[in-house]
Amino acid sequence: MKKHTIKDILSDYKRFLHHNITVQGWVRAFRSNRFIALNDGSTILNLQIVVDFEQFDEELIKNIKTASSLKIEGEVIESQGAGQSIEILAKKITVLGDNFSEELEKTVLQPKKHSLEVLREQAHLRFRTNLFGAVFRLRSAISFAIHQFFNQNQFFYINTPIITGADAEGAGEMFSVTNFDLNNLPKDENGEIDYTQDFFGRKTNLTVSGQLEGETAAMGLGRIYTFGPTFRAENSNTTRHLAEFWMIEPEVAFNNLEDNIDLAEDFLKFVINYVLDNCKDDLEFLDKRFAEEQKQKPERERAKEGLIEKLQNVVSKRFKRVSYTEAIEILLASKENKKGKFQFPIEAWGADLQSEHERYLVEKHFECPVVLFDYPKEIKAFYMKLNEDGKTVGAMDVLFPGIGEIIGGSEREARYDVLIQKMKEMNVDEKELWWYLDTRKFGSVPHAGFGLGLERLVLFITGMTNIRDVIPFPRTPKNAEF
Ligand code: 4AD
Ligand code: MG
């Protein structure tokens, strides 16, 4: 027998009308011993079950509590009440799992008493709420849309290693991977840890990016993308940083910086359009929640647009493309900078942009997504293409309202000798990266790519404000429960 989800039944209800069907789910509410709101996770919508309690055993009716799980057999009928088109007239009810503790209701399900922080400590239970159901269904849809976009555009999905010896970003923010007994580390004659005795015979770490390996794949396959977990041991306890997050990294042979920016813009718009078209119920729920949240804020802090409206605006307007140099001029001339409102005032060209600056540009100055390009070479990674001015590199960052940087990427330095020179200047070990340098030896081509942080995109689309609430089990400094 084919099992029907509540989503199947509600989205195609005419087909089910007057049929006997079986549904299974959790009780969201049980009103007047007569109406069960049943949810099975397939949609945010509940299916109404009508129970003629006189027809059922009293004990059974007592066990129908919020969160208990049920199997219902009954007839699909037209609904008498407002709010739904159909309901199920229950003929047989089986309690699959009794909810015998009040704990779940107290900690998770009672909407007014909990805050998102409390729910974070109950991450294993929060899937059962409407809010997290919507967030994680959207996260899944977004991931699917990402694969679909690349598949449609003839990209190949490549899996790059999670354990690696390379530090792609050169920032040194890595978690070590070892099977040494940490209380008894082998030392060499200089008293240093002897990694030749470690599992891999060398020092290894969790990857911070699959880019370098991705580039080697693009040199044979043309268009590739990676989609996997990445790890950063940066101690930034912010609402936008995770120690473990998912990154999508396309890499394209024969693309230059402009092609790369076009790809990033098309890609983001495709994914947002996909959820607008396919995730209406969840987005409408989040849109209402977002509006409620705005009402709690002082007037001047309120968002100018609703959540869905914001998504529609992003897909309909062209992203503003601005060079780093222009951005610095705008920031230097801004009231905020002159009046010392920035925590990190901009003093001159060459300054690294902080998230407050990025958000000023996006939210106050341009009021739309912004792509910044051609950054000073000193503040960007070694692999980026050196521009003719000798001062800047072909980097690009996509900045989104409310988020700041959502994508970081660049055209790559394809010239062997220039790359070696940059590695020397930036103290990147040539010997370690011998295999990466090979990409520039045998038929090197211009190429470009970028990385999208999945959770930052999910934050933007769902209107959630803390990145810990858009990944099922967040990993942050001092926190790795579950
Ligand atoms: O700008 P990043 O560091 O770029 C790279 O890693 C390049 N190798 C990408 C490439 O060109 N293939 O990181 C890319 C994106 C950021 O824009 C941000 O969205 C996300 O990854 N990101 C994080 N997301 C959550 N928590 C963190 N700690 C993040 N660090 C970066
Ligand atoms: Mg970056």
Side-chain angles (χ1 to χ4, degrees):
M1 188 192 73
K2 181 175 175 350
K3 292 194 177 176
H4 299 292
T5 62
I6 291 177
K7 184 178 175 168
D8 287 334
I9 296 162
L10 292 178
S11 56
D12 194 13
Y13 68 90
K14 287 201 178 115
R15 185 158 75 86
F16 292 92
L17 209 54
H18 309 304
H19 287 247
N20 282 313
I21 60 166
T22 303
V23 284
Q24 304 179 86
W26 292 273
V27 177
R28 278 292 157 83
F30 187 27
R31 283 188 294 121
S32 332
N33 271 1
R34 197 169 160 74
F35 301 107
I36 301 172
L38 196 74
N39 189 282
D40 68 354
S42 62
T43 159
I44 194 148
L45 306 174
N46 300 325
L47 182 62
Q48 174 148 291
I49 314 291
V50 185
V51 184
D52 183 357
F53 59 89
E54 284 170 355
Q55 307 246 343
F56 293 91
D57 190 50
E58 212 173 300
E59 260 321 284
L60 177 89
I61 298 290
K62 254 200 239 153
N63 272 332
I64 303 179
K65 297 175 228 157
T66 304
S68 47
S69 48
L70 306 179
K71 178 175 170 182
I72 310 272
E73 289 155 78
E75 189 190 339
V76 180
I77 55 171
E78 262 160 50
S79 177
Q80 310 300 312
Q84 64 270 325
S85 39
I86 52 155
E87 55 199 22
I88 310 283
L89 184 60
K91 295 190 174 155
K92 186 170 173 203
I93 301 176
T94 316
V95 178
L96 299 173
D98 180 21
N99 173 22
F100 54 78
S101 157
E102 283 177 5
E103 215 175 285
L104 184 72
E105 276 181 272
K106 276 199 203 135
T107 54
V108 176
L109 297 179
Q110 296 218 344
K112 282 189 194 94
K113 288 191 189 148
H114 70 239
S115 63
L116 293 176
E117 285 94 280
V118 174
L119 281 183
R120 244 167 257 152
E121 287 163 14
Q122 304 291 330
H124 61 306
L125 299 175
R126 60 184 181 169
F127 300 102
R128 300 163 189 236
T129 62
N130 276 336
L131 177 58
F132 286 92
V135 168
F136 293 124
R137 272 187 299 273
L138 272 161
R139 183 183 165 110
S140 170
I142 290 165
S143 303
F144 174 78
I146 289 169
H147 283 295
Q148 194 173 48
F149 173 83
F150 287 121
N151 190 260
Q152 264 171 224
N153 289 288
Q154 300 169 46
F155 282 69
F156 300 104
Y157 176 38
I158 294 291
N159 302 113
T160 49
I162 289 169
I163 301 173
T164 169
D167 176 7
E169 292 306 296
E173 292 160 333
M174 296 174 298
F175 292 101
S176 304
V177 176
T178 177
N179 74 339
F180 274 155
D181 171 359
L182 296 184
N183 290 314
N184 188 17
L185 294 167
K187 301 276 170 70
D188 62 16
E189 58 268 30
N190 302 324
E192 311 260 325
I193 297 169
D194 182 8
Y195 285 102
T196 60
Q197 295 185 46
D198 202 352
F199 188 89
F200 296 107
R202 55 171 300 157
K203 196 173 181 324
T204 50
N205 45 266
L206 293 177
T207 187
V208 295
S209 156
Q211 178 195 324
L212 302 189
E213 292 91 349
E215 281 186 54
T216 68
M219 289 305 112
L221 290 157
R223 298 179 192 175
I224 65 96
Y225 70 106
T226 71
F227 189 158
T230 39
F231 308 86
R232 296 198 183 173
E234 49 191 338
N235 202 357
S236 21
N237 231 327
T238 78
T239 54
R240 282 171 192 80
H241 287 87
L242 290 164
E244 175 180 300
F245 62 100
W246 288 68
M247 191 153 45
I248 297 96
E249 296 182 272
E251 192 68 39
V252 190
F254 316 110
N255 264 11
N256 63 19
L257 183 66
E258 199 182 342
D259 300 326
N260 203 38
I261 299 175
D262 290 342
L263 178 68
E265 182 166 348
D266 290 349
F267 169 54
L268 288 168
K269 288 180 171 173
F270 177 91
V271 176
I272 295 171
N273 268 321
Y274 179 91
V275 297
L276 283 169
D277 290 345
N278 293 282
C279 309
K280 285 208 173 71
D281 296 331
D282 286 323
L283 279 181
E284 272 163 22
F285 171 84
L286 291 167
D287 188 72
K288 276 198 201 105
R289 175 186 176 273
F290 185 80
E292 284 300 318
E293 231 183 31
Q294 300 307 311
K295 276 191 216 152
Q296 317 288 324
K297 292 185 178 176
E299 186 123 22
R300 57 182 175 81
E301 283 172 32
R302 285 185 202 160
K304 290 187 189 115
E305 326 155 291
L307 179 67
I308 293 179
E309 199 183 354
K310 171 187 87 174
L311 300 178
Q312 285 163 340
N313 284 339
V314 165
V315 293
S316 62
K317 279 193 235 157
R318 205 175 130 82
F319 296 179
K320 185 83 193 162
R321 300 177 186 203
V322 185
S323 74
Y324 167 89
T325 303
E326 279 175 79
I328 287 291
E329 280 160 15
I330 292 167
L331 288 164
L332 280 172
S334 71
K335 251 199 286 171
E336 275 71 4
N337 202 52
K338 287 184 179 154
K339 289 194 177 163
K341 293 251 169 77
F342 288 136
Q343 198 191 337
F344 301 93
I346 298 281
E347 275 157 19
W349 191 95
D352 203 355
L353 299 184
Q354 305 294 327
S355 112
E356 56 179 345
H357 310 125
E358 296 173 343
R359 294 187 58 175
Y360 171 82
L361 292 168
V362 175
E363 290 160 28
K364 298 245 167 73
H365 191 83
F366 292 109
E367 299 192 76
C368 69
V370 173
V371 188
L372 291 188
F373 60 90
D374 289 348
Y375 282 73
K377 63 176 180 182
E378 287 78 13
I379 60 172
K380 290 289 182 187
F382 74 94
Y383 50 71
M384 298 189 180
K385 185 193 163 190
L386 186 65
N387 289 329
E388 272 173 21
D389 61 14
K391 279 174 24 187
T392 60
V393 286
M396 51 157 277
D397 276 3
V398 182
L399 314 179
F400 260 26
I403 305 288
E405 180 189 334
I406 197 161
I407 279 182
S410 70
E411 181 173 341
R412 316 308 187 189
E413 182 50 75
R415 295 162 293 185
Y416 182 83
D417 49 335
V418 182
L419 182 62
I420 290 275
Q421 186 54 37
K422 282 194 75 196
M423 287 168 84
K424 286 207 172 85
E425 281 168 22
M426 298 179 96
N427 287 322
V428 180
D429 194 336
E430 291 159 51
K431 277 198 215 93
E432 292 247 310
L433 289 179
W434 64 273
W435 51 273
Y436 181 69
L437 285 166
D438 272 359
T439 54
R440 274 60 167 177
K441 279 191 198 160
F442 316 118
S444 184
V445 292
H447 61 288
F450 59 79
L452 165 72
L454 176 69
E455 288 75 17
R456 296 209 181 157
L457 181 59
V458 181
L459 261 185
F460 181 75
I461 289 178
T462 58
M464 300 296 282
T465 46
N466 192 316
I467 199 160
R468 295 167 179 81
D469 295 331
V470 298
I471 185 164
F473 298 103
R475 299 291 175 250
T476 49
K478 304 276 178 293
N479 170 40
E481 192 66 54
F482 309 103

